[in-house]
Amino acid sequence: MQLTRKDSPYSHWELLDSDNGNRLRVVPERGGLITEWLCNGIEVLYFDLARFKQHNKSVRGGIPILFPICGDLPNNLLKLPQGEFHIKQHGFARDLPWNINYLQDSSGFNLSLFTEDFPRFKFPFSCQVDMEVHLGLDFIDFKINIKNVDIMPIPFSFGLHPYFKVSDLREVKILGLPSQCIDQIDMQSVAT
């Protein structure tokens, strides 16, 4: 597999396994966003290219990275002893440029977001987020490491928000979900 910089149809890095019809496209400058996953020649992800080109709007599609929060906070405020910090829905990691490095074993790449990249007025902690992404024959494997380099505990959540390309909802099956979950609107336990 090779990791190559491409300019078309938009500026991105491409991880290509041409022998198996597999490809990942990632845009580190736009929050480490994976914009395409071609698996056995079939596009797995939905991606709205027109919206992606509008830099003032959030992206619809691909696999955005959610950090330091998944979902939203009441009034978008994180209340801490250090003060109140405005954090919009899903956090700010998807809006920051990430660093990308090709993995030595050539099966993927590493995305990193370092302490100095964090907007300290929004999140007063020091940490580093590393995400290894490996492209397999029929899967993507993610290994996430969040390192606290601060002396205080860091409140956070981390998530990936894949937009799967679905043409017929009647054909969709979701397996392995727990029977109960928490409704994010009223924080009550409900049947999944």
Side-chain angles (χ1 to χ4, degrees), residues 27 33 39 48-49 69 77 92 103 109 111 133 151-152 164 166-167 190:
V27 184
L33 178 70
C39 182
D48 186 339
L49 180 58
I69 186 163
L77 286 178
F92 49 77
L103 295 174
F109 53 87
L111 291 168
V133 181
I151 57 171
M152 298 184 61
F164 293 109
V166 175
S167 56
V190 295

Side-chain angles (χ1 to χ4, degrees), residues 25-37:
R25 287 182 172 167
V26 60
V27 184
E29 303 83 6
R30 295 285 299 274
L33 178 70
I34 293 175
T35 56
E36 179 183 284
W37 175 23

Side-chain angles (χ1 to χ4, degrees), residues 27-33 54-60 63-69 86-98 113 117-119 122:
V27 184
E29 303 83 6
R30 295 285 299 274
L33 178 70
Q54 299 176 35
H55 289 270
N56 61 334
K57 293 190 175 182
S58 62
V59 175
R60 296 282 183 250
I63 306 177
I65 299 171
L66 314 182
F67 182 84
I69 186 163
H86 182 267
I87 298 182
K88 66 181 185 175
Q89 184 181 39
H90 298 322
F92 49 77
R94 64 187 178 150
D95 299 323
L96 295 174
W98 289 61
L113 186 63
D117 300 324
F118 283 65
K122 288 187 177 183

